[in-house]
Amino acid sequence: MCRWMAYSGEAVPLELFLFKAKHNLIDQSMSSRSAETPTNGDGFGVGWYGSREIPGLFRSIRPAWNDFNLRDLAAQLDTRLFLAHVRATSLATVQETNCHPFRWKNWLFVHNGEIFEVERMRRDLLMAVAPEYFGNVLGTTDSELMFHLALTLGLEKDPPRALARMAGLVERVGREKGVAEALWMTLGISDGRKVWAVRYASDRQAPTLFHSRDMRDVYAVNPELEELVGPTARVVVSEPIGAYSQNWVEVPQSSLLEIDGSDLEIRPFAPE
Amino acid sequence: MCRWMAYSGEAVPLELFLFKAKHNLIDQSMSSRSAETPTNGDGFGVGWYGSREIPGLFRSIRPAWNDFNLRDLAAQLDTRLFLAHVRATSLATVQETNCHPFRWKNWLFVHNGEIFEVERMRRDLLMAVAPEYFGNVLGTTDSELMFHLALTLGLEKDPPRALARMAGLVERVGREKGVAEALWMTLGISDGRKVWAVRYASDRQAPTLFHSRDMRDVYAVNPELEELVGPTARVVVSEPIGAYSQNWVEVPQSSLLEIDGSDLEIRPFAPE
Amino acid sequence: MCRWMAYSGEAVPLELFLFKAKHNLIDQSMSSRSAETPTNGDGFGVGWYGSREIPGLFRSIRPAWNDFNLRDLAAQLDTRLFLAHVRATSLATVQETNCHPFRWKNWLFVHNGEIFEVERMRRDLLMAVAPEYFGNVLGTTDSELMFHLALTLGLEKDPPRALARMAGLVERVGREKGVAEALWMTLGISDGRKVWAVRYASDRQAPTLFHSRDMRDVYAVNPELEELVGPTARVVVSEPIGAYSQNWVEVPQSSLLEIDGSDLEIRPFAPE
Amino acid sequence: MCRWMAYSGEAVPLELFLFKAKHNLIDQSMSSRSAETPTNGDGFGVGWYGSREIPGLFRSIRPAWNDFNLRDLAAQLDTRLFLAHVRATSLATVQETNCHPFRWKNWLFVHNGEIFEVERMRRDLLMAVAPEYFGNVLGTTDSELMFHLALTLGLEKDPPRALARMAGLVERVGREKGVAEALWMTLGISDGRKVWAVRYASDRQAPTLFHSRDMRDVYAVNPELEELVGPTARVVVSEPIGAYSQNWVEVPQSSLLEIDGSDLEIRPFAPE
């Protein structure tokens, strides 16, 4: 229902993964391999970490493929860590505050998926957001809500635990409202140092999620990438970017992935 | 902090009051007489009643003065009742869902003013919105919140009472949060048949509000208006439109105005 | 490279063909059957004739499928004649002035197709626009240029002839610049009374174009349409709308179609 | 009729002059001291030089004061040379391609002012643009036209001469069309190394233009600026930014200013 990617590693030009690679994220905004949403033209956003304390955020309701400002920005910026997202929605409001990533201080959050029948739950879930984070809810997406629930449940202290607790809360409220299997998601989160990703669905059929292999393995097959992407690079994507499918490993269902430098660890994920 | 107007009467071209009159509403978006907000360029909206059950709604984040679609729409549409609003905000999100009017079925609502320190109260106020209306809250303004509180408190059955109860609720929650005089507002509301307006502030210094005289009195002074505006016309404005100030009567502080056809009644307004 | 439609007949709600019909124009903006451009999300426009001398025009760079203002406008307006267009472009500027229809007084013009290698010709073609129409060129599309060339060559007096002369001019300038087969188009034009459409390409492989059958034949097969669409209705489309393909007749290559009330005439079209 | 600024010197955060300084450029978009256009809310743009061959460009039709993307971008970017502009227009099209700066390779161009009765001249002036630059004209402003005429007349080789020739051409064509005093302008231009500014009007009453003093003189009066702005900084503004008017020197009528590092030279300017 959207496409996203996260990058961590040596500084790269933002445009490398957004515009230059084969079947890059912007290509995916026009024409992805997602059965549900081949087109993701309901806005986009990119959050990037540089030399400031907080990441920059550029969000727009324009389809990513026709926004000249995005092309220019991507051409100008080098960044060591970024999250980017192209959105597809059905008749939900398209406005900048409904585009991902969402941001809280140094944290960024993107989501692909949905909370089924969220309208039954939204009021209860919104009320579960702690007052200190409440004023940061600027839009009306279930995605933004999930982010603020995770913050409420301790994201800034223990991200994996907070995400598990958030998933548990959503599923619990869902069941109370008669929705047996409410959650269907992949998530991308960063605090500017690490990147976390989650692939989970209540029905165990979450949307696709892939991570890149260690760059040394990638260079062995594709040496031309050595001058483009540094050795500590790690990338997480909804669907593979680039010309070489063997560079991507599928993230298993019900998993959490943690990237710290070039180290990548996958652990089981279950709602708490 | 915004400028708005309401019209009820024989069908007129929308552009008459929006673009053609001297110091019309769109002029006021660029340059009003408001001390706080001479410029109201943070979006606009118009809701108009025609032959359908529900009114049409056109909202945009563009400054009203440079939106060609608005000019064209106003040139094409005749309407017997409309509410129009140009917005000024300080650093609150500018998005279409934060533009007025807000709509619920056949109801339209515009607001000029604010709830002081609303961020302290927003969570509590949002939770006071009944579940049946909650899904209609698409933005993040205090204005939209006030509308949905009024709906919750019976707007569809007894508008004057619901508005008084809404004002009472906001002031009460305000006091609980340490804000002594929370409310500062003019409101414009319609169900497609009648128009209500309120001028009220906790500190008794609400923004300006005017209503037009009976058209027969207006024709007596300005006969050229007879071919432009029908005899049952009633107009409510934040600040006078047109070349003749004597055609406008100031609405007193702490008042509610009810327009039914050409009948206009003013009653005291107090929070309940 | 875009999708468009034209309607002429008894007044219908604009939303009937834009939003309500199966595989309507807005569906086609997300997902058309065009091989070149399955998605037409680079803006849209609708021009509609009502009670005014000139038609209304609403153009937006938003993808048609996510613009709430369009939905609302279409729900509110009845119109006896309109042209609507959803645009697909590759990296040309997306701005309102590049959206169709284009308008000159009571004339509207939409186009699907392109002038090949137009950048070689644009300067010459622009200079062929007569001074009286030159100030009406607000954007940078070849489509708008073609409209103003047709105006220059007598569109207001003899539309079929002017369109043939325009096609001839474009092909001639094309050949001068080394482009053997420059033109590839369907056109939709109206003056508020009649509708003209053209299907022509220099290589005789113009994009698809269909017209509706006489409504009496349509009612015979689909009697439920009798209460939705009046007996004099005529519709021209890039690709069929609705559930019944037998209601549509393909317009032959190199043809001009003229609609006057319910009368529909097809004549050969050749550049002059 | 607009407000602009140019900065050259040590890298500064873009937000310093756009958002942080007293009466900064974004303040001027809402409320400038210009008699003609106190509000400049018809779009904005910023072009900045960094590590790439060509400058970045971010242009938007949003009023500068309510665009969150601009705030974020300005907070994230450091730049050694930039041009920024906030636009005011009367009823000319507001679209991104009509926002300044305009760009050609490594060149940026901003303009405040107008060509009087440009509609009489636009066709002739457009035809005077050389074919090699013609495809870079994406909008419909006289400003963009002046830039491309300057390019045609040798801007890339000899900027002061090209600007003089451009002014001469515009005045000459103006007189041919019956406009005695066509030009009224300040211009800001850069190639990424130097900055040029011009203050000229046919009637010798061009809009205001100021340049900053040598920073050593500025530090002597305002030592707190030493940690904010480097010693080679030079700034050109339509109207002074900051709290200290004595830091600004008015550029005389009919002058051209050339900035090369911290060197600033003013020479007479006359149309050729």
Short mmCIF file of all heavy atoms in Angstrom, two decimals, chain A residues 81-128:
data_model
loop_
_atom_site.label_atom_id
_atom_site.label_comp_id
_atom_site.label_asym_id
_atom_site.label_seq_id
_atom_site.Cartn_x
_atom_site.Cartn_y
_atom_site.Cartn_z
N LEU A 81 22.26 8.61 6.33
CA LEU A 81 21.13 7.80 6.79
C LEU A 81 19.85 8.51 6.40
O LEU A 81 19.68 9.69 6.71
CB LEU A 81 21.19 7.62 8.32
CG LEU A 81 20.45 6.44 8.96
CD1 LEU A 81 21.00 6.14 10.35
CD2 LEU A 81 18.95 6.66 9.01
N PHE A 82 18.98 7.80 5.71
CA PHE A 82 17.70 8.42 5.36
C PHE A 82 16.60 7.38 5.25
O PHE A 82 16.86 6.20 5.03
CB PHE A 82 17.81 9.23 4.06
CG PHE A 82 17.95 8.42 2.81
CD1 PHE A 82 16.83 7.99 2.10
CD2 PHE A 82 19.21 8.12 2.30
CE1 PHE A 82 16.96 7.25 0.94
CE2 PHE A 82 19.35 7.38 1.13
CZ PHE A 82 18.22 6.94 0.44
N LEU A 83 15.39 7.87 5.43
CA LEU A 83 14.17 7.07 5.19
C LEU A 83 13.36 7.81 4.14
O LEU A 83 13.20 9.03 4.24
CB LEU A 83 13.33 6.93 6.46
CG LEU A 83 13.61 5.76 7.40
CD1 LEU A 83 14.97 5.89 8.05
CD2 LEU A 83 12.53 5.67 8.47
N ALA A 84 12.86 7.10 3.15
CA ALA A 84 12.04 7.71 2.12
C ALA A 84 10.81 6.85 1.87
O ALA A 84 10.85 5.63 2.05
CB ALA A 84 12.85 7.89 0.83
N HIS A 85 9.73 7.50 1.46
CA HIS A 85 8.44 6.80 1.40
C HIS A 85 7.59 7.40 0.28
O HIS A 85 7.58 8.62 0.12
CB HIS A 85 7.75 6.98 2.75
CG HIS A 85 6.42 6.31 2.90
ND1 HIS A 85 5.26 6.85 2.40
CD2 HIS A 85 6.06 5.16 3.51
CE1 HIS A 85 4.24 6.03 2.71
NE2 HIS A 85 4.70 5.01 3.38
N VAL A 86 6.93 6.56 -0.48
CA VAL A 86 5.95 7.02 -1.45
C VAL A 86 4.63 6.38 -1.09
O VAL A 86 4.56 5.19 -0.80
CB VAL A 86 6.36 6.72 -2.91
CG1 VAL A 86 7.57 7.56 -3.30
CG2 VAL A 86 6.66 5.24 -3.13
N ARG A 87 3.58 7.19 -1.10
CA ARG A 87 2.32 6.79 -0.47
C ARG A 87 1.24 6.42 -1.48
O ARG A 87 1.11 7.03 -2.55
CB ARG A 87 1.82 7.94 0.40
CG ARG A 87 0.58 7.61 1.22
CD ARG A 87 0.23 8.73 2.17
NE ARG A 87 -0.95 8.40 2.97
CZ ARG A 87 -2.02 9.19 3.10
NH1 ARG A 87 -2.05 10.35 2.51
NH2 ARG A 87 -3.04 8.81 3.85
N ALA A 88 0.49 5.39 -1.14
CA ALA A 88 -0.74 5.06 -1.87
C ALA A 88 -1.83 4.94 -0.83
O ALA A 88 -1.66 4.27 0.18
CB ALA A 88 -0.60 3.75 -2.62
N THR A 89 -2.94 5.62 -1.06
CA THR A 89 -4.04 5.52 -0.12
C THR A 89 -5.33 5.46 -0.90
O THR A 89 -5.39 5.84 -2.06
CB THR A 89 -4.06 6.74 0.83
OG1 THR A 89 -5.15 6.59 1.74
CG2 THR A 89 -4.25 8.03 0.05
N SER A 90 -6.38 4.92 -0.27
CA SER A 90 -7.64 4.96 -0.98
C SER A 90 -8.57 5.94 -0.28
O SER A 90 -9.07 5.69 0.80
CB SER A 90 -8.27 3.57 -1.03
OG SER A 90 -8.28 3.00 0.25
N LEU A 91 -8.69 7.09 -0.89
CA LEU A 91 -9.63 8.11 -0.43
C LEU A 91 -9.39 8.67 0.96
O LEU A 91 -10.21 9.39 1.49
CB LEU A 91 -11.09 7.61 -0.54
CG LEU A 91 -11.69 7.79 -1.93
CD1 LEU A 91 -13.19 7.63 -1.88
CD2 LEU A 91 -11.36 9.16 -2.52
N ALA A 92 -8.29 8.33 1.60
CA ALA A 92 -7.94 9.05 2.82
C ALA A 92 -7.35 10.39 2.38
O ALA A 92 -6.92 10.54 1.26
CB ALA A 92 -6.92 8.27 3.63
N THR A 93 -7.34 11.34 3.27
CA THR A 93 -6.89 12.67 2.90
C THR A 93 -5.43 12.67 2.47
O THR A 93 -4.58 12.04 3.12
CB THR A 93 -7.04 13.63 4.09
OG1 THR A 93 -8.36 13.54 4.59
CG2 THR A 93 -6.75 15.05 3.69
N VAL A 94 -5.18 13.33 1.36
CA VAL A 94 -3.81 13.50 0.91
C VAL A 94 -3.37 14.89 1.33
O VAL A 94 -3.83 15.89 0.80
CB VAL A 94 -3.70 13.32 -0.61
CG1 VAL A 94 -2.28 13.65 -1.09
CG2 VAL A 94 -4.04 11.89 -1.00
N GLN A 95 -2.52 14.98 2.31
CA GLN A 95 -1.97 16.26 2.78
C GLN A 95 -0.59 15.97 3.32
O GLN A 95 -0.24 14.82 3.63
CB GLN A 95 -2.88 16.87 3.87
CG GLN A 95 -3.16 15.98 5.05
CD GLN A 95 -4.34 16.46 5.91
OE1 GLN A 95 -5.07 17.37 5.54
NE2 GLN A 95 -4.51 15.83 7.07
N GLU A 96 0.23 17.01 3.39
CA GLU A 96 1.63 16.79 3.78
C GLU A 96 1.75 16.09 5.13
O GLU A 96 2.64 15.27 5.34
CB GLU A 96 2.39 18.12 3.79
CG GLU A 96 2.71 18.60 2.39
CD GLU A 96 3.27 20.01 2.34
OE1 GLU A 96 3.69 20.54 3.40
OE2 GLU A 96 3.28 20.59 1.25
N THR A 97 0.85 16.44 6.04
CA THR A 97 0.94 15.85 7.39
C THR A 97 0.53 14.38 7.39
O THR A 97 0.68 13.71 8.42
CB THR A 97 0.06 16.62 8.39
OG1 THR A 97 -1.27 16.68 7.87
CG2 THR A 97 0.58 18.04 8.60
N ASN A 98 0.00 13.89 6.28
CA ASN A 98 -0.31 12.46 6.17
C ASN A 98 0.76 11.71 5.38
O ASN A 98 0.60 10.52 5.09
CB ASN A 98 -1.69 12.26 5.52
CG ASN A 98 -2.82 12.49 6.51
OD1 ASN A 98 -2.57 12.83 7.67
ND2 ASN A 98 -4.04 12.31 6.05
N CYS A 99 1.83 12.42 4.99
CA CYS A 99 2.93 11.76 4.29
C CYS A 99 3.96 11.29 5.31
O CYS A 99 4.16 11.92 6.35
CB CYS A 99 3.57 12.74 3.30
SG CYS A 99 2.44 13.26 1.99
N HIS A 100 4.63 10.23 4.99
CA HIS A 100 5.70 9.71 5.84
C HIS A 100 7.02 10.18 5.26
O HIS A 100 7.09 10.41 4.04
CB HIS A 100 5.72 8.18 5.85
CG HIS A 100 4.40 7.49 5.90
ND1 HIS A 100 4.27 6.20 6.36
CD2 HIS A 100 3.14 7.86 5.54
CE1 HIS A 100 3.01 5.82 6.27
NE2 HIS A 100 2.30 6.80 5.78
N PRO A 101 8.09 10.26 6.02
CA PRO A 101 8.21 9.87 7.42
C PRO A 101 7.54 10.88 8.37
O PRO A 101 7.37 12.04 8.04
CB PRO A 101 9.72 9.88 7.69
CG PRO A 101 10.40 10.12 6.41
CD PRO A 101 9.39 10.70 5.47
N PHE A 102 7.22 10.36 9.55
CA PHE A 102 6.82 11.22 10.65
C PHE A 102 8.05 11.42 11.52
O PHE A 102 8.95 10.59 11.56
CB PHE A 102 5.68 10.56 11.45
CG PHE A 102 4.52 10.22 10.56
CD1 PHE A 102 4.33 8.93 10.09
CD2 PHE A 102 3.63 11.21 10.15
CE1 PHE A 102 3.27 8.62 9.23
CE2 PHE A 102 2.57 10.92 9.30
CZ PHE A 102 2.39 9.63 8.83
N ARG A 103 8.08 12.53 12.22
CA ARG A 103 9.29 12.87 12.97
C ARG A 103 8.97 13.30 14.39
O ARG A 103 7.97 14.00 14.62
CB ARG A 103 10.02 14.01 12.24
CG ARG A 103 11.30 14.49 12.95
CD ARG A 103 12.00 15.60 12.15
NE ARG A 103 11.14 16.75 11.97
CZ ARG A 103 11.48 17.81 11.21
NH1 ARG A 103 12.63 17.83 10.58
NH2 ARG A 103 10.65 18.83 11.08
N TRP A 104 9.78 12.86 15.31
CA TRP A 104 9.75 13.34 16.70
C TRP A 104 11.20 13.50 17.13
O TRP A 104 11.93 12.51 17.23
CB TRP A 104 9.02 12.34 17.60
CG TRP A 104 9.23 12.61 19.07
CD1 TRP A 104 10.13 11.99 19.90
CD2 TRP A 104 8.58 13.60 19.86
NE1 TRP A 104 10.06 12.52 21.17
CE2 TRP A 104 9.11 13.52 21.18
CE3 TRP A 104 7.57 14.53 19.61
CZ2 TRP A 104 8.67 14.35 22.22
CZ3 TRP A 104 7.13 15.34 20.64
CH2 TRP A 104 7.68 15.25 21.93
N LYS A 105 11.60 14.73 17.32
CA LYS A 105 12.99 15.02 17.66
C LYS A 105 13.91 14.35 16.63
O LYS A 105 13.86 14.66 15.46
CB LYS A 105 13.29 14.58 19.09
CG LYS A 105 12.46 15.34 20.12
CD LYS A 105 12.91 15.04 21.56
CE LYS A 105 12.01 15.81 22.53
NZ LYS A 105 12.31 15.46 23.93
N ASN A 106 14.76 13.45 17.08
CA ASN A 106 15.69 12.79 16.17
C ASN A 106 15.15 11.49 15.58
O ASN A 106 15.87 10.75 14.93
CB ASN A 106 17.02 12.52 16.87
CG ASN A 106 16.84 11.65 18.11
OD1 ASN A 106 16.04 11.97 19.00
ND2 ASN A 106 17.56 10.54 18.19
N TRP A 107 13.89 11.20 15.81
CA TRP A 107 13.29 9.94 15.36
C TRP A 107 12.49 10.14 14.06
O TRP A 107 11.79 11.13 13.90
CB TRP A 107 12.35 9.38 16.43
CG TRP A 107 13.09 8.90 17.63
CD1 TRP A 107 13.54 9.66 18.68
CD2 TRP A 107 13.52 7.56 17.90
NE1 TRP A 107 14.21 8.88 19.58
CE2 TRP A 107 14.21 7.59 19.13
CE3 TRP A 107 13.39 6.34 17.23
CZ2 TRP A 107 14.77 6.44 19.71
CZ3 TRP A 107 13.93 5.20 17.80
CH2 TRP A 107 14.62 5.25 19.02
N LEU A 108 12.63 9.14 13.17
CA LEU A 108 11.82 9.10 11.95
C LEU A 108 11.10 7.76 11.87
O LEU A 108 11.62 6.75 12.35
CB LEU A 108 12.71 9.26 10.71
CG LEU A 108 13.37 10.61 10.46
CD1 LEU A 108 14.29 10.53 9.25
CD2 LEU A 108 12.32 11.70 10.24
N PHE A 109 9.95 7.76 11.22
CA PHE A 109 9.09 6.56 11.20
C PHE A 109 8.35 6.49 9.87
O PHE A 109 7.73 7.48 9.46
CB PHE A 109 8.09 6.68 12.35
CG PHE A 109 7.12 5.52 12.51
CD1 PHE A 109 7.36 4.53 13.46
CD2 PHE A 109 5.97 5.43 11.73
CE1 PHE A 109 6.46 3.49 13.65
CE2 PHE A 109 5.07 4.39 11.91
CZ PHE A 109 5.31 3.41 12.88
N VAL A 110 8.46 5.35 9.20
CA VAL A 110 7.66 5.12 8.00
C VAL A 110 6.91 3.80 8.16
O VAL A 110 7.34 2.92 8.91
CB VAL A 110 8.51 5.08 6.71
CG1 VAL A 110 9.16 6.41 6.41
CG2 VAL A 110 9.53 3.95 6.75
N HIS A 111 5.86 3.67 7.39
CA HIS A 111 4.98 2.50 7.54
C HIS A 111 4.40 2.13 6.18
O HIS A 111 4.02 3.00 5.39
CB HIS A 111 3.86 2.86 8.52
CG HIS A 111 2.70 1.90 8.57
ND1 HIS A 111 1.40 2.31 8.47
CD2 HIS A 111 2.68 0.55 8.75
CE1 HIS A 111 0.59 1.24 8.57
NE2 HIS A 111 1.34 0.18 8.74
N ASN A 112 4.33 0.84 5.92
CA ASN A 112 3.54 0.35 4.80
C ASN A 112 2.56 -0.66 5.35
O ASN A 112 2.96 -1.58 6.07
CB ASN A 112 4.43 -0.31 3.74
CG ASN A 112 3.60 -0.99 2.65
OD1 ASN A 112 2.46 -0.60 2.39
ND2 ASN A 112 4.15 -2.00 1.99
N GLY A 113 1.28 -0.46 5.04
CA GLY A 113 0.29 -1.40 5.54
C GLY A 113 -0.91 -0.65 6.07
O GLY A 113 -1.17 0.47 5.66
N GLU A 114 -1.63 -1.29 6.95
CA GLU A 114 -2.77 -0.60 7.56
C GLU A 114 -3.23 -1.30 8.83
O GLU A 114 -2.83 -2.43 9.11
CB GLU A 114 -3.93 -0.47 6.58
CG GLU A 114 -4.44 -1.74 5.98
CD GLU A 114 -5.66 -1.49 5.09
OE1 GLU A 114 -6.55 -0.72 5.52
OE2 GLU A 114 -5.73 -2.07 4.00
N ILE A 115 -4.03 -0.54 9.55
CA ILE A 115 -4.79 -1.11 10.66
C ILE A 115 -6.20 -1.31 10.09
O ILE A 115 -6.86 -0.34 9.70
CB ILE A 115 -4.86 -0.14 11.85
CG1 ILE A 115 -3.45 0.12 12.41
CG2 ILE A 115 -5.77 -0.71 12.94
CD1 ILE A 115 -3.42 1.15 13.53
N PHE A 116 -6.64 -2.55 10.00
CA PHE A 116 -7.94 -2.79 9.38
C PHE A 116 -9.06 -2.19 10.22
O PHE A 116 -9.07 -2.29 11.43
CB PHE A 116 -8.16 -4.30 9.18
CG PHE A 116 -7.24 -4.87 8.16
CD1 PHE A 116 -6.29 -5.81 8.52
CD2 PHE A 116 -7.27 -4.43 6.85
CE1 PHE A 116 -5.41 -6.33 7.58
CE2 PHE A 116 -6.39 -4.94 5.90
CZ PHE A 116 -5.46 -5.89 6.27
N GLU A 117 -10.02 -1.57 9.51
CA GLU A 117 -11.17 -0.93 10.16
C GLU A 117 -10.72 0.02 11.28
O GLU A 117 -11.32 0.08 12.35
CB GLU A 117 -12.12 -2.00 10.70
CG GLU A 117 -12.65 -2.89 9.56
CD GLU A 117 -13.83 -3.74 9.98
OE1 GLU A 117 -14.81 -3.17 10.47
OE2 GLU A 117 -13.73 -4.97 9.82
N VAL A 118 -9.68 0.78 10.99
CA VAL A 118 -9.10 1.67 11.98
C VAL A 118 -10.12 2.67 12.51
O VAL A 118 -9.98 3.17 13.64
CB VAL A 118 -7.85 2.38 11.41
CG1 VAL A 118 -8.25 3.36 10.30
CG2 VAL A 118 -7.08 3.07 12.49
N GLU A 119 -11.15 2.99 11.69
CA GLU A 119 -12.10 4.00 12.15
C GLU A 119 -12.82 3.57 13.41
O GLU A 119 -13.19 4.41 14.24
CB GLU A 119 -13.09 4.37 11.04
CG GLU A 119 -12.48 5.29 9.99
CD GLU A 119 -11.86 6.55 10.59
OE1 GLU A 119 -12.49 7.20 11.45
OE2 GLU A 119 -10.72 6.90 10.20
N ARG A 120 -12.95 2.26 13.61
CA ARG A 120 -13.57 1.78 14.86
C ARG A 120 -12.67 2.02 16.07
O ARG A 120 -13.14 2.10 17.21
CB ARG A 120 -13.81 0.27 14.77
CG ARG A 120 -14.83 -0.17 13.76
CD ARG A 120 -15.33 -1.54 14.18
NE ARG A 120 -15.76 -2.35 13.04
CZ ARG A 120 -16.21 -3.60 13.16
NH1 ARG A 120 -16.27 -4.17 14.34
NH2 ARG A 120 -16.59 -4.26 12.10
N MET A 121 -11.36 2.09 15.80
CA MET A 121 -10.39 2.10 16.90
C MET A 121 -9.72 3.44 17.11
O MET A 121 -9.07 3.65 18.15
CB MET A 121 -9.27 1.11 16.59
CG MET A 121 -9.69 -0.30 16.43
SD MET A 121 -8.23 -1.24 15.88
CE MET A 121 -8.94 -2.15 14.50
N ARG A 122 -9.85 4.34 16.13
CA ARG A 122 -8.98 5.51 16.10
C ARG A 122 -9.11 6.35 17.36
O ARG A 122 -8.11 6.83 17.90
CB ARG A 122 -9.29 6.33 14.85
CG ARG A 122 -8.10 7.18 14.40
CD ARG A 122 -8.21 7.53 12.93
NE ARG A 122 -9.24 8.51 12.67
CZ ARG A 122 -9.06 9.81 12.79
NH1 ARG A 122 -7.89 10.29 13.18
NH2 ARG A 122 -10.06 10.64 12.54
N ARG A 123 -10.33 6.49 17.82
CA ARG A 123 -10.56 7.31 19.01
C ARG A 123 -9.84 6.71 20.21
O ARG A 123 -9.11 7.40 20.93
CB ARG A 123 -12.06 7.37 19.27
CG ARG A 123 -12.51 8.53 20.08
CD ARG A 123 -14.02 8.65 19.98
NE ARG A 123 -14.52 9.69 20.84
CZ ARG A 123 -14.74 9.57 22.14
NH1 ARG A 123 -14.50 8.40 22.72
NH2 ARG A 123 -15.20 10.59 22.84
N ASP A 124 -10.01 5.43 20.42
CA ASP A 124 -9.34 4.77 21.54
C ASP A 124 -7.83 4.83 21.41
O ASP A 124 -7.10 5.08 22.37
CB ASP A 124 -9.76 3.30 21.60
CG ASP A 124 -11.20 3.13 22.03
OD1 ASP A 124 -12.08 3.66 21.33
OD2 ASP A 124 -11.45 2.47 23.07
N LEU A 125 -7.33 4.60 20.22
CA LEU A 125 -5.88 4.61 20.02
C LEU A 125 -5.33 6.01 20.23
O LEU A 125 -4.27 6.19 20.84
CB LEU A 125 -5.54 4.09 18.62
CG LEU A 125 -5.85 2.61 18.40
CD1 LEU A 125 -5.58 2.23 16.93
CD2 LEU A 125 -5.01 1.73 19.32
N LEU A 126 -6.05 7.01 19.74
CA LEU A 126 -5.59 8.39 19.91
C LEU A 126 -5.51 8.74 21.39
O LEU A 126 -4.60 9.43 21.84
CB LEU A 126 -6.56 9.33 19.17
CG LEU A 126 -6.10 10.76 18.89
CD1 LEU A 126 -4.73 10.79 18.23
CD2 LEU A 126 -7.12 11.46 18.02
N MET A 127 -6.46 8.26 22.14
CA MET A 127 -6.46 8.55 23.57
C MET A 127 -5.36 7.82 24.31
O MET A 127 -4.97 8.21 25.42
CB MET A 127 -7.82 8.18 24.18
CG MET A 127 -8.83 9.27 23.96
SD MET A 127 -8.16 10.96 24.31
CE MET A 127 -7.68 11.52 22.66
N ALA A 128 -4.83 6.79 23.69
CA ALA A 128 -3.71 6.07 24.33
C ALA A 128 -2.39 6.78 24.12
O ALA A 128 -1.36 6.39 24.69
CB ALA A 128 -3.66 4.65 23.79
#
